[in-house]
Amino acid sequence: MEKSPDNIPDQHFINLVVKGQDNDPLYFEFRRDWEIKKLLITYCEKKDAQYGTFPFLINGNRFPHIRTPDQLGLKDGDEIVATFYAGGA
Amino acid sequence: SDLLRFSVCDQHWPERLNKIISLDVRYKERWNTVDFDSKYEENSLLSQKSRLPSKCCSIEFDEPFEDVVYPKDDPDAVLISERDVKLLEPDTFINDTIIDFYIKYLNNKIQTDRQQDFHFFNSFFFRKLADLDKDPSSACEGRAAFQRVRKWTRKVNLFEKDYIFIPVNYSLHWSLIVICHPGEVPYFRDDEIEKSLKVPCILHMDSIKGSHRGLKNLIQGYLSEEWKERHSNTDDEVPSKFLRLQFAPLELPQQQNSFDCGLFLLHYVELFLKEALSNFNPLKKKQVSNFLNRNWFPPAEVSMKRAQIKKLLYEISKDHSRRKDPSADSVDEHPSSQPTNDKIGKETGAVILGQMWNPTLPGQQGFSSISDAEKGIQISISGASPQRDAQCTRDPEFSFKEQCKLGTGPASLSDLRYQHVTSRLRRSIMSPIEEAKETDEQMATSPYNVENFKQVTRLARKYCGVPPKIWCDKQFSPDFDILDEDESMKECRTSLEVEVKDQPLAEYEGSDYPETTGKTDSFSNSSEGLSDFVVEDSQETSGIAAGIVEDSEEENAKLDGKENKDSPCFKGETCNLSHEVLLSETIYLQENIMLISNEVTMSKADEQLVVKKSRPLPKDRKQLKELNGGLPKELIP
């Protein structure tokens, strides 16, 4: 969980949860005007995984990681799902 | 005199060509190089766009692949990175990124006014719906399954769609669900099946039929719940209708290998979109066309998608990096404009080991005159480097330089070759029908080619020290026996005929298989025969090329067939020849081809070849195994 520095007002932050396949969701407080990629990389670091090894979905859709939560239209409490790449024959 | 034409996919080909040429002074003037250049590709594509396999090529891109976001500015854009593109190599499982990318690409190709009639779920939908990530056993409980994906359809009303596509992935296999006209369910009566134009149903398209089970209840349950969600006041009648919605596992072309299922999925989608009118009835007993039946398309068509998608991705990637103005709507014009499609395969300078075709569809266009197949394998040497890209083509100086660089010989040679390329272009344009015939001829002789490739492998190792990659795209028809039964085909497959000027007529009596097998075995020492090997010079070749294209009358074929039998004394020399011709090129012989030809005629040596060529499992597969194995903590790759 990131802490908001005192000098930045609360409305600049959004609460997001990233749920992986491990039943161990991580909750983030994140700047609304930062690229979401930063959050995803942090998530991967916490999970000892390399960024890019699994896809992230919002409401079932992929999304551009270079967008900010505001640009993605995310609301407080929204959920990001970390899934994994599937292959098959 | 006849002509031996063959295709090479090898970026070092110019060097190797020079090596071959240096073996005898006469070679130099007799080798002639034809480049499958843009015009050829474009023309052949334009004329055969819809049904015929456009090309079979393996493109080797050495340039780095810049990540592609597709469609740009789409909220649900797919990010394709180099790692994903690597999965398009032969014999590799493709992942959901490629699946989703190509489905989006197909979606964008649909006419704008029809786009809202279709809905494509991404490849994660099914996994979430069935909850494969957690507990597959509890997957089919309707309400719970629906809850997991409830948010996914917030912005879309499935019941307004004509067709809903769901890529299905589990147990390391891809298949496809197509829900047809779900909006008709409440009004549909079972006795209308034969009459109705819009029949609601669930189609299951599986390239290994029977491998995905248990989908019926899951999909029915999902639709039922989705309906309930959207129609809060509804009684139980309609939702129960959804639970009884007809589920049809279709008999479709099946994959012949163990790694193309994802591509079959994409091919099913692509052809379905092409042919599905809004009112077709998949449950009708009598179908007029091959649409959605076992003969829908030749399975060999599917492997070509690898190169096609790869090419597409590289083009989009280049397009992205070229545009500096981010506001330019660069990507979106790609999918919607046909030229992009036509451009695929253009400028490849890459392998065309014959247009692939499979003779399982005798009634289809392009096969009406198989029996007219011309004599001789048509092969063309591609002299240009395979990685020429759009930019290079626009800059002739560049591609010329490249050729000089690649060719170790004198610059004039490259120059010459380059001119040949342009001057020969028009002549090498063939109509799709003729190409089909040609390919057929190649398939007819395929078992012998296998023999040749074996030899080539040995020879190439001997001379170049480079272990050659073997690849021979699906020219080997899995339905070879069908072809065999066709009386008229027998004549065509009699020989791989090569006639060499100034040399005695060389023959390869194809129908005499056991004998030739014996002969080929003695060819590992065929280097002594090198000096006998002659290839046509350019003028003759061009003349002949034209001749061959027109030479499609049955009479001619018969005549030639007779001649073949009359000159048995030259048996074997052709083998010699073809081995030498192929001496140092890289030939890929796909595993699956080998396996397929196993059913037909496959020698032990061939099998060894297959065994030798095992590839490491794609990383994704391992990962998947771990994850699908129910180890939820296994997030780390």
Side-chain angles (χ1 to χ4, degrees), chain B residues 56-58 90-91 254-260 264 298-304 306 353-358 439 442-451 453-454 469-480 513 587-603 605-611 613 615:
Chain B
C56 123
C57 49
S58 155
D91 310 0
Q254 299 287 291
Q255 72 186 74
Q256 310 291 334
N257 56 44
S258 57
F259 39 78
D260 269 351
F264 267 85
E301 235 177 62
V302 172
S303 290
M304 288 181 299
R306 290 183 186 272
L353 259 175
Q355 303 287 332
M356 294 193 294
W357 193 251
N358 179 307
T439 316
Q442 291 190 4
M443 285 189 295
T445 51
S446 55
Y448 323 120
N449 285 344
V450 174
E451 276 301 318
F453 290 135
K454 191 178 73 196
K469 288 188 226 157
I470 301 290
W471 148 307
C472 175
D473 259 307
K474 296 205 176 184
Q475 304 166 29
F476 305 139
S477 159
D479 298 297
F480 195 80
Y513 183 53
I587 300 158
Y588 304 92
L589 194 50
Q590 263 181 2
E591 250 172 2
N592 55 322
I593 308 309
M594 303 301 294
L595 292 168
I596 288 159
S597 53
N598 195 3
E599 291 170 21
V600 188
T601 37
M602 194 172 180
S603 67
D606 293 333
E607 282 165 36
Q608 281 167 9
L609 214 95
V610 175
V611 174
K613 213 193 142 256
R615 278 168 182 261

Coordinates of all heavy atoms in Angstrom, one line a residue, chain B residues 56-58 90-91 254-260 264 298-304 306 353-358 439 442-451 453-454 469-480 513 587-603 605-611 613 615:
Chain B
C56 N 2.7 -19.5 -49.3 CA 3.2 -20.3 -48.3 C 4.6 -19.8 -48.1 O 5.5 -20.0 -49.0 CB 3.2 -21.8 -48.6 SG 4.8 -22.6 -48.6
C57 N 4.9 -19.1 -47.1 CA 6.2 -18.6 -47.0 C 6.6 -18.5 -45.6 O 5.8 -18.3 -44.7 CB 6.4 -17.3 -47.7 SG 5.2 -16.1 -47.3
S58 N 7.8 -18.7 -45.4 CA 8.4 -18.4 -44.0 C 9.3 -17.2 -44.2 O 10.2 -17.1 -45.0 CB 9.2 -19.6 -43.6 OG 10.2 -19.2 -42.7
P90 N 7.2 -21.8 -37.1 CA 6.6 -23.1 -37.3 C 6.7 -23.9 -36.0 O 7.6 -23.8 -35.2 CB 7.4 -23.7 -38.4 CG 8.0 -22.5 -39.1 CD 8.2 -21.5 -38.1
D91 N 5.7 -24.8 -35.9 CA 5.7 -25.8 -34.8 C 5.5 -25.2 -33.4 O 5.8 -25.9 -32.4 CB 6.9 -26.7 -34.8 CG 7.3 -27.2 -36.1 OD1 6.5 -26.9 -37.1 OD2 8.2 -27.9 -36.2
Q254 N -9.8 -30.8 -39.8 CA -9.1 -31.1 -38.6 C -7.6 -30.8 -38.7 O -7.0 -31.0 -39.8 CB -9.3 -32.6 -38.2 CG -10.8 -32.9 -37.9 CD -11.3 -32.3 -36.7 OE1 -11.0 -32.8 -35.6 NE2 -12.2 -31.3 -36.8
Q255 N -7.0 -30.5 -37.6 CA -5.6 -30.2 -37.7 C -4.8 -31.5 -37.8 O -5.2 -32.6 -37.3 CB -5.1 -29.4 -36.5 CG -5.1 -30.2 -35.2 CD -4.7 -29.3 -34.0 OE1 -5.6 -28.5 -33.6 NE2 -3.5 -29.4 -33.5
Q256 N -3.7 -31.5 -38.6 CA -3.0 -32.7 -38.8 C -1.7 -32.7 -38.0 O -0.8 -33.5 -38.2 CB -2.6 -32.7 -40.3 CG -3.7 -32.4 -41.3 CD -4.7 -33.6 -41.3 OE1 -4.3 -34.7 -41.0 NE2 -5.9 -33.3 -41.6
N257 N -1.6 -31.8 -37.1 CA -0.4 -31.8 -36.3 C -0.7 -31.4 -34.9 O -1.9 -31.3 -34.5 CB 0.6 -30.7 -36.8 CG 0.0 -29.4 -37.0 OD1 -0.7 -28.9 -36.0 ND2 0.2 -28.7 -38.1
S258 N 0.2 -31.2 -34.1 CA -0.1 -31.0 -32.6 C 0.2 -29.5 -32.2 O 0.4 -29.3 -31.0 CB 0.8 -31.9 -31.8 OG 2.1 -31.7 -32.1
F259 N 0.2 -28.6 -33.1 CA 0.5 -27.3 -32.7 C -0.2 -26.2 -33.5 O 0.0 -25.0 -33.2 CB 2.1 -27.0 -32.9 CG 2.7 -27.6 -34.1 CD1 2.5 -27.0 -35.3 CD2 3.4 -28.8 -34.0 CE1 3.0 -27.6 -36.4 CE2 3.9 -29.4 -35.1 CZ 3.7 -28.8 -36.3
D260 N -1.1 -26.5 -34.4 CA -1.8 -25.5 -35.1 C -3.2 -25.1 -34.7 O -3.9 -24.4 -35.3 CB -1.8 -25.9 -36.6 CG -0.6 -25.5 -37.4 OD1 0.2 -24.7 -36.8 OD2 -0.4 -25.9 -38.6
F264 N -6.0 -22.8 -36.4 CA -7.3 -23.3 -36.9 C -8.5 -22.4 -36.3 O -9.4 -22.0 -37.1 CB -7.5 -24.7 -36.5 CG -7.1 -25.7 -37.5 CD1 -5.8 -26.1 -37.6 CD2 -8.0 -26.2 -38.5 CE1 -5.3 -26.9 -38.6 CE2 -7.5 -27.0 -39.5 CZ -6.2 -27.4 -39.5
P298 N -8.9 -26.7 -47.1 CA -7.9 -27.7 -47.0 C -7.1 -27.4 -45.7 O -6.7 -26.2 -45.5 CB -7.0 -27.5 -48.2 CG -7.5 -26.3 -48.9 CD -8.7 -25.8 -48.2
P299 N -6.8 -28.3 -44.8 CA -6.1 -28.1 -43.6 C -4.8 -27.4 -43.8 O -4.3 -26.7 -43.0 CB -5.9 -29.5 -43.0 CG -7.0 -30.3 -43.6 CD -7.3 -29.8 -45.0
A300 N -4.2 -27.7 -44.9 CA -2.9 -27.1 -45.2 C -2.9 -25.6 -45.2 O -1.9 -25.0 -45.0 CB -2.3 -27.7 -46.5
E301 N -4.0 -25.1 -45.6 CA -4.2 -23.6 -45.7 C -3.8 -22.9 -44.4 O -3.2 -21.8 -44.4 CB -5.6 -23.3 -45.9 CG -5.9 -22.4 -47.2 CD -7.4 -22.3 -47.4 OE1 -8.1 -21.7 -46.5 OE2 -7.9 -22.7 -48.4
V302 N -4.0 -23.7 -43.3 CA -3.9 -23.0 -42.0 C -2.5 -22.7 -41.6 O -2.2 -21.6 -41.0 CB -4.5 -23.9 -40.9 CG1 -4.3 -23.4 -39.5 CG2 -6.0 -24.0 -41.2
S303 N -1.5 -23.5 -41.9 CA -0.2 -23.3 -41.5 C 0.4 -22.0 -42.1 O 1.3 -21.4 -41.6 CB 0.7 -24.4 -42.0 OG 0.4 -25.5 -41.2
M304 N -0.2 -21.6 -43.2 CA 0.3 -20.3 -43.9 C 0.0 -19.1 -43.0 O 0.5 -18.1 -43.2 CB -0.4 -20.2 -45.2 CG 0.2 -21.2 -46.2 SD -0.6 -20.9 -47.8 CE -2.3 -21.3 -47.4
R306 N 0.7 -18.5 -40.2 CA 1.8 -18.0 -39.4 C 2.6 -16.9 -40.0 O 2.8 -15.9 -39.5 CB 2.7 -19.2 -39.1 CG 2.2 -20.2 -38.2 CD 3.2 -21.3 -37.9 NE 2.5 -22.4 -37.1 CZ 2.5 -22.4 -35.8 NH1 3.1 -21.4 -35.1 NH2 1.9 -23.4 -35.1
L353 N 7.7 -22.2 -51.4 CA 7.9 -23.6 -51.8 C 6.7 -24.1 -52.4 O 6.1 -25.1 -52.0 CB 8.3 -24.4 -50.6 CG 9.8 -24.7 -50.4 CD1 10.1 -25.4 -49.1 CD2 10.4 -25.4 -51.6
G354 N 6.3 -23.4 -53.4 CA 5.0 -23.9 -54.1 C 3.8 -23.3 -53.4 O 3.9 -23.3 -52.1
Q355 N 2.8 -23.0 -54.1 CA 1.6 -22.6 -53.4 C 1.0 -23.9 -52.8 O 1.0 -24.9 -53.5 CB 0.6 -22.0 -54.4 CG 1.2 -20.8 -55.2 CD 1.2 -19.6 -54.3 OE1 0.4 -19.5 -53.4 NE2 2.1 -18.7 -54.5
M356 N 0.6 -23.8 -51.6 CA 0.1 -25.0 -51.0 C -1.3 -25.2 -51.4 O -2.1 -24.3 -51.5 CB 0.2 -24.9 -49.5 CG 1.6 -24.8 -49.0 SD 1.7 -25.0 -47.3 CE 0.8 -23.6 -46.8
W357 N -1.6 -26.4 -51.6 CA -2.9 -26.7 -51.9 C -3.2 -28.1 -51.6 O -2.3 -29.0 -51.6 CB -3.2 -26.4 -53.4 CG -4.6 -26.5 -53.7 CD1 -5.3 -27.4 -54.3 CD2 -5.6 -25.5 -53.2 NE1 -6.7 -27.0 -54.4 CE2 -6.8 -25.9 -53.7 CE3 -5.5 -24.3 -52.5 CZ2 -8.0 -25.2 -53.4 CZ3 -6.6 -23.6 -52.3 CH2 -7.9 -24.0 -52.7
N358 N -4.4 -28.4 -51.3 CA -4.7 -29.7 -50.9 C -5.9 -30.2 -51.7 O -6.9 -29.6 -51.8 CB -5.1 -29.6 -49.4 CG -5.5 -31.0 -48.9 OD1 -6.4 -31.6 -49.5 ND2 -4.9 -31.4 -47.8
T439 N 0.9 -26.9 -57.7 CA 1.1 -27.4 -56.4 C 0.7 -28.9 -56.3 O 1.3 -29.7 -55.6 CB 0.2 -26.6 -55.4 OG1 0.4 -25.2 -55.8 CG2 0.7 -26.8 -54.0
Q442 N 3.2 -31.0 -57.3 CA 4.2 -31.1 -56.3 C 3.8 -32.1 -55.2 O 4.6 -32.9 -54.7 CB 4.5 -29.7 -55.6 CG 5.2 -28.8 -56.6 CD 5.6 -27.6 -55.9 OE1 5.5 -27.5 -54.7 NE2 6.2 -26.7 -56.6
M443 N 2.5 -32.0 -54.9 CA 2.1 -32.9 -53.9 C 2.1 -34.3 -54.4 O 2.4 -35.3 -53.7 CB 0.7 -32.6 -53.5 CG 0.6 -31.3 -52.6 SD -0.9 -31.1 -52.0 CE -1.8 -30.7 -53.4
A444 N 1.8 -34.4 -55.6 CA 1.8 -35.8 -56.2 C 3.1 -36.4 -56.1 O 3.3 -37.6 -55.9 CB 1.4 -35.7 -57.7
T445 N 4.1 -35.6 -56.2 CA 5.5 -36.2 -56.1 C 6.1 -36.1 -54.7 O 7.2 -36.4 -54.6 CB 6.4 -35.5 -57.1 OG1 6.3 -34.1 -56.9 CG2 6.0 -35.8 -58.5
S446 N 5.3 -35.7 -53.8 CA 5.8 -35.4 -52.5 C 6.7 -36.5 -51.9 O 7.7 -36.2 -51.3 CB 4.8 -34.9 -51.6 OG 3.8 -35.9 -51.5
P447 N 6.3 -37.7 -51.9 CA 7.1 -38.7 -51.2 C 8.5 -38.7 -51.8 O 9.5 -39.0 -51.0 CB 6.4 -40.0 -51.5 CG 5.0 -39.6 -51.9 CD 5.1 -38.3 -52.5
Y448 N 8.6 -38.5 -53.0 CA 9.9 -38.5 -53.6 C 10.7 -37.3 -53.1 O 11.9 -37.3 -53.0 CB 9.8 -38.6 -55.1 CG 8.7 -39.5 -55.4 CD1 7.6 -39.0 -56.2 CD2 8.6 -40.8 -54.9 CE1 6.5 -39.9 -56.4 CE2 7.6 -41.6 -55.1 CZ 6.5 -41.1 -55.9 OH 5.5 -41.9 -56.1
N449 N 10.0 -36.2 -53.0 CA 10.7 -35.0 -52.5 C 11.2 -35.3 -51.1 O 12.3 -34.8 -50.8 CB 9.7 -33.8 -52.4 CG 9.4 -33.3 -53.7 OD1 10.1 -33.6 -54.7 ND2 8.3 -32.5 -53.8
V450 N 10.5 -36.0 -50.4 CA 11.0 -36.3 -49.0 C 12.3 -37.0 -49.2 O 13.3 -36.7 -48.5 CB 10.0 -37.2 -48.3 CG1 10.6 -37.7 -47.0 CG2 8.7 -36.5 -48.1
E451 N 12.4 -37.9 -50.1 CA 13.6 -38.6 -50.3 C 14.7 -37.6 -50.7 O 15.8 -37.6 -50.1 CB 13.5 -39.5 -51.5 CG 12.9 -40.9 -51.1 CD 13.8 -41.6 -50.1 OE1 15.1 -41.5 -50.2 OE2 13.3 -42.2 -49.1
F453 N 14.9 -34.4 -49.9 CA 15.2 -33.6 -48.8 C 16.2 -34.3 -47.9 O 17.1 -33.7 -47.4 CB 14.0 -33.2 -48.1 CG 13.2 -32.2 -48.8 CD1 11.8 -32.3 -48.9 CD2 13.8 -31.2 -49.5 CE1 11.0 -31.5 -49.6 CE2 13.0 -30.3 -50.2 CZ 11.6 -30.4 -50.3
K454 N 16.0 -35.5 -47.8 CA 16.9 -36.3 -47.0 C 18.3 -36.2 -47.5 O 19.2 -36.0 -46.8 CB 16.4 -37.8 -46.9 CG 17.1 -38.6 -45.9 CD 16.5 -40.0 -45.9 CE 17.0 -40.7 -47.2 NZ 16.3 -42.0 -47.4
K469 N 18.1 -26.4 -42.0 CA 16.7 -26.5 -41.4 C 15.9 -27.1 -42.5 O 16.0 -26.8 -43.6 CB 16.1 -25.1 -41.1 CG 16.8 -24.4 -39.9 CD 16.0 -23.2 -39.6 CE 16.9 -22.0 -39.4 NZ 16.2 -20.8 -39.6
I470 N 15.0 -28.0 -42.0 CA 14.2 -28.6 -43.0 C 12.8 -28.1 -42.9 O 12.2 -28.1 -41.8 CB 14.2 -30.1 -42.8 CG1 15.6 -30.7 -42.9 CG2 13.3 -30.8 -43.8 CD1 16.1 -30.7 -44.3
W471 N 12.3 -27.7 -43.9 CA 10.9 -27.2 -43.9 C 10.3 -27.5 -45.3 O 11.0 -27.2 -46.3 CB 10.9 -25.8 -43.5 CG 9.8 -25.0 -44.1 CD1 9.5 -24.9 -45.4 CD2 8.9 -24.2 -43.4 NE1 8.4 -24.1 -45.6 CE2 8.0 -23.6 -44.4 CE3 8.7 -23.8 -42.1 CZ2 7.0 -22.7 -44.1 CZ3 7.7 -23.0 -41.8 CH2 6.9 -22.4 -42.8
C472 N 9.2 -27.9 -45.3 CA 8.6 -28.1 -46.6 C 7.1 -27.9 -46.3 O 6.4 -28.9 -46.0 CB 8.9 -29.4 -47.2 SG 8.1 -29.7 -48.7
D473 N 6.6 -26.8 -46.4 CA 5.3 -26.5 -46.0 C 4.3 -27.5 -46.6 O 4.7 -28.2 -47.6 CB 4.8 -25.1 -46.5 CG 4.9 -24.2 -45.3 OD1 4.3 -24.6 -44.2 OD2 5.6 -23.2 -45.4
K474 N 3.2 -27.6 -46.1 CA 2.3 -28.7 -46.4 C 2.0 -29.0 -47.8 O 0.9 -28.9 -48.3 CB 1.0 -28.4 -45.7 CG 1.1 -28.3 -44.2 CD -0.2 -28.7 -43.7 CE -0.2 -28.7 -42.2 NZ -1.5 -29.2 -41.6
Q475 N 3.0 -29.3 -48.5 CA 2.7 -29.7 -49.9 C 2.3 -31.2 -49.8 O 1.7 -31.7 -50.7 CB 3.9 -29.6 -50.8 CG 4.4 -28.2 -50.8 CD 5.8 -28.3 -51.4 OE1 6.1 -29.1 -52.3 NE2 6.6 -27.4 -51.0
F476 N 2.7 -31.8 -48.8 CA 2.3 -33.2 -48.7 C 0.9 -33.3 -48.2 O 0.6 -33.0 -47.0 CB 3.3 -33.9 -47.7 CG 4.7 -33.7 -48.1 CD1 5.7 -33.4 -47.2 CD2 5.1 -33.7 -49.4 CE1 7.0 -33.2 -47.5 CE2 6.4 -33.5 -49.8 CZ 7.3 -33.2 -48.9
S477 N 0.1 -33.8 -49.0 CA -1.3 -33.8 -48.7 C -1.6 -35.0 -47.8 O -1.2 -36.1 -48.0 CB -2.1 -34.0 -49.9 OG -3.3 -34.5 -49.6
P478 N -2.3 -34.7 -46.7 CA -2.8 -35.7 -45.8 C -3.7 -36.7 -46.5 O -3.9 -37.8 -46.1 CB -3.4 -35.0 -44.7 CG -3.8 -33.7 -45.2 CD -2.8 -33.4 -46.3
D479 N -4.3 -36.2 -47.5 CA -5.4 -37.0 -48.2 C -4.8 -37.5 -49.5 O -5.4 -37.5 -50.5 CB -6.6 -36.1 -48.5 CG -7.2 -35.6 -47.2 OD1 -7.6 -36.5 -46.5 OD2 -7.2 -34.4 -47.0
F480 N -3.6 -37.9 -49.4 CA -2.9 -38.4 -50.6 C -3.6 -39.5 -51.2 O -3.6 -39.6 -52.4 CB -1.5 -38.8 -50.1 CG -0.6 -38.9 -51.3 CD1 0.0 -37.8 -51.8 CD2 -0.3 -40.2 -51.8 CE1 0.9 -37.9 -52.9 CE2 0.5 -40.3 -52.9 CZ 1.1 -39.2 -53.5
Y513 N 8.3 -46.1 -57.1 CA 8.8 -45.6 -55.9 C 9.9 -46.4 -55.3 O 11.0 -45.9 -55.0 CB 7.7 -45.3 -54.9 CG 8.2 -44.7 -53.6 CD1 9.0 -43.6 -53.7 CD2 7.9 -45.3 -52.4 CE1 9.4 -43.0 -52.5 CE2 8.3 -44.7 -51.3 CZ 9.1 -43.6 -51.3 OH 9.6 -43.0 -50.2
I587 N 16.1 -25.8 -46.5 CA 14.8 -26.3 -46.7 C 14.2 -26.6 -45.4 O 14.8 -27.4 -44.6 CB 14.9 -27.5 -47.6 CG1 15.5 -27.2 -48.9 CG2 13.5 -28.1 -47.8 CD1 16.0 -28.4 -49.6
Y588 N 13.1 -26.1 -45.2 CA 12.4 -26.5 -43.9 C 11.4 -27.6 -44.2 O 10.7 -27.5 -45.2 CB 11.7 -25.3 -43.4 CG 12.5 -24.1 -43.2 CD1 12.6 -23.1 -44.2 CD2 13.2 -23.9 -42.0 CE1 13.4 -22.0 -44.0 CE2 14.0 -22.8 -41.8 CZ 14.1 -21.8 -42.8 OH 14.8 -20.8 -42.6
L589 N 11.5 -28.5 -43.4 CA 10.5 -29.6 -43.6 C 9.7 -29.7 -42.3 O 10.2 -30.2 -41.4 CB 11.3 -30.9 -43.9 CG 10.5 -32.0 -44.5 CD1 9.6 -31.5 -45.7 CD2 11.4 -33.1 -45.0
Q590 N 8.6 -29.2 -42.4 CA 7.8 -29.1 -41.1 C 7.5 -30.5 -40.6 O 7.2 -31.4 -41.3 CB 6.5 -28.4 -41.3 CG 6.7 -27.0 -40.9 CD 5.4 -26.3 -41.0 OE1 4.4 -26.9 -41.4 NE2 5.3 -25.0 -40.8
E591 N 7.6 -30.6 -39.3 CA 7.3 -31.9 -38.6 C 6.0 -32.5 -39.1 O 5.9 -33.6 -39.4 CB 7.2 -31.6 -37.1 CG 8.3 -32.2 -36.4 CD 8.2 -31.7 -34.9 OE1 7.3 -31.0 -34.6 OE2 9.1 -32.1 -34.2
N592 N 5.0 -31.6 -39.1 CA 3.7 -32.1 -39.4 C 3.7 -32.7 -40.8 O 3.0 -33.7 -41.1 CB 2.7 -31.0 -39.3 CG 3.0 -29.8 -40.1 OD1 4.2 -29.4 -40.2 ND2 2.0 -29.2 -40.7
I593 N 4.4 -32.1 -41.7 CA 4.4 -32.7 -43.0 C 5.0 -34.1 -43.0 O 4.4 -35.0 -43.6 CB 5.3 -31.8 -43.9 CG1 5.0 -30.4 -43.9 CG2 5.3 -32.3 -45.4 CD1 3.5 -30.1 -44.1
M594 N 6.0 -34.2 -42.3 CA 6.6 -35.5 -42.2 C 5.6 -36.5 -41.6 O 5.5 -37.6 -42.1 CB 7.9 -35.4 -41.3 CG 8.9 -34.4 -41.8 SD 9.4 -34.8 -43.5 CE 10.3 -36.3 -43.2
L595 N 5.0 -36.0 -40.6 CA 4.0 -36.9 -40.0 C 2.9 -37.3 -40.9 O 2.5 -38.4 -41.0 CB 3.5 -36.3 -38.7 CG 4.5 -36.1 -37.6 CD1 4.0 -35.2 -36.5 CD2 4.9 -37.5 -37.1
I596 N 2.5 -36.3 -41.7 CA 1.4 -36.6 -42.6 C 1.9 -37.6 -43.7 O 1.2 -38.5 -44.0 CB 1.0 -35.3 -43.3 CG1 0.2 -34.4 -42.3 CG2 0.1 -35.6 -44.5 CD1 0.2 -33.0 -42.6
S597 N 3.1 -37.3 -44.2 CA 3.5 -38.2 -45.2 C 3.8 -39.5 -44.7 O 3.9 -40.5 -45.4 CB 4.7 -37.6 -45.9 OG 5.7 -37.3 -44.9
N598 N 3.9 -39.6 -43.4 CA 4.1 -40.9 -42.8 C 2.9 -41.9 -43.2 O 3.1 -43.0 -43.4 CB 4.1 -40.7 -41.3 CG 4.6 -41.9 -40.6 OD1 5.0 -42.9 -41.2 ND2 4.7 -41.9 -39.3
E599 N 1.7 -41.3 -43.2 CA 0.6 -42.1 -43.6 C 0.7 -42.6 -45.0 O 0.1 -43.6 -45.3 CB -0.7 -41.2 -43.5 CG -1.0 -40.9 -42.1 CD -2.1 -39.8 -42.0 OE1 -2.9 -39.8 -43.0 OE2 -2.3 -39.1 -41.0
V600 N 1.4 -41.9 -45.8 CA 1.4 -42.2 -47.2 C 2.6 -43.2 -47.4 O 2.4 -44.4 -47.5 CB 1.6 -41.0 -48.0 CG1 1.4 -41.3 -49.5 CG2 0.6 -39.9 -47.6
T601 N 3.7 -42.6 -47.5 CA 4.9 -43.5 -47.7 C 6.0 -42.8 -47.0 O 6.4 -41.7 -47.3 CB 5.3 -43.6 -49.2 OG1 5.1 -42.3 -49.8 CG2 4.5 -44.7 -49.9
M602 N 6.5 -43.4 -46.0 CA 7.6 -42.7 -45.2 C 8.6 -43.7 -44.9 O 8.4 -44.7 -44.3 CB 6.9 -42.1 -44.0 CG 7.8 -41.1 -43.3 SD 6.9 -40.4 -42.0 CE 8.1 -39.3 -41.4
S603 N 9.8 -43.4 -45.3 CA 10.9 -44.3 -45.0 C 11.4 -44.1 -43.6 O 11.1 -43.1 -42.9 CB 12.0 -44.0 -46.0 OG 12.5 -42.8 -45.8
A605 N 14.3 -43.3 -42.7 CA 15.1 -42.1 -42.6 C 14.3 -40.9 -42.4 O 14.7 -40.0 -41.7 CB 15.9 -42.0 -43.9
D606 N 13.2 -40.8 -43.0 CA 12.3 -39.7 -42.8 C 11.9 -39.6 -41.3 O 11.9 -38.5 -40.8 CB 11.0 -39.8 -43.6 CG 11.4 -39.8 -45.1 OD1 12.4 -39.1 -45.4 OD2 10.6 -40.4 -45.9
E607 N 11.6 -40.7 -40.8 CA 11.2 -40.7 -39.4 C 12.3 -40.2 -38.5 O 12.1 -39.4 -37.6 CB 10.7 -42.1 -38.9 CG 9.3 -42.4 -39.4 CD 9.0 -43.9 -39.3 OE1 9.5 -44.5 -38.3 OE2 8.4 -44.4 -40.2
Q608 N 13.4 -40.6 -38.8 CA 14.6 -40.1 -38.1 C 14.6 -38.6 -38.1 O 14.9 -37.9 -37.2 CB 15.9 -40.7 -38.6 CG 16.1 -42.1 -38.1 CD 17.2 -42.8 -38.9 OE1 17.9 -42.1 -39.7 NE2 17.3 -44.0 -38.7
L609 N 14.4 -38.1 -39.3 CA 14.4 -36.7 -39.5 C 13.5 -36.0 -38.6 O 13.8 -35.0 -38.0 CB 14.1 -36.4 -41.0 CG 14.8 -35.2 -41.6 CD1 16.0 -35.7 -42.3 CD2 13.9 -34.5 -42.5
V610 N 12.3 -36.6 -38.5 CA 11.3 -36.0 -37.6 C 11.8 -36.0 -36.2 O 11.7 -35.0 -35.5 CB 10.0 -36.7 -37.7 CG1 9.0 -36.2 -36.7 CG2 9.4 -36.7 -39.1
V611 N 12.3 -37.1 -35.8 CA 12.8 -37.2 -34.4 C 13.9 -36.1 -34.1 O 13.8 -35.5 -33.1 CB 13.3 -38.6 -34.1 CG1 13.9 -38.7 -32.7 CG2 12.1 -39.6 -34.3
K613 N 14.2 -33.4 -35.3 CA 13.8 -32.0 -35.3 C 12.8 -31.7 -34.2 O 11.8 -31.2 -34.4 CB 13.2 -31.7 -36.6 CG 13.5 -30.3 -37.0 CD 12.6 -29.9 -38.2 CE 12.1 -28.5 -38.1 NZ 10.8 -28.4 -37.7
R615 N 11.6 -29.5 -31.2 CA 11.9 -28.2 -30.7 C 11.6 -28.1 -29.2 O 10.8 -28.8 -28.7 CB 10.9 -27.2 -31.4 CG 11.4 -26.8 -32.7 CD 10.3 -26.1 -33.5 NE 10.8 -25.7 -34.8 CZ 11.2 -24.5 -35.1 NH1 11.2 -23.6 -34.2 NH2 11.6 -24.2 -36.3

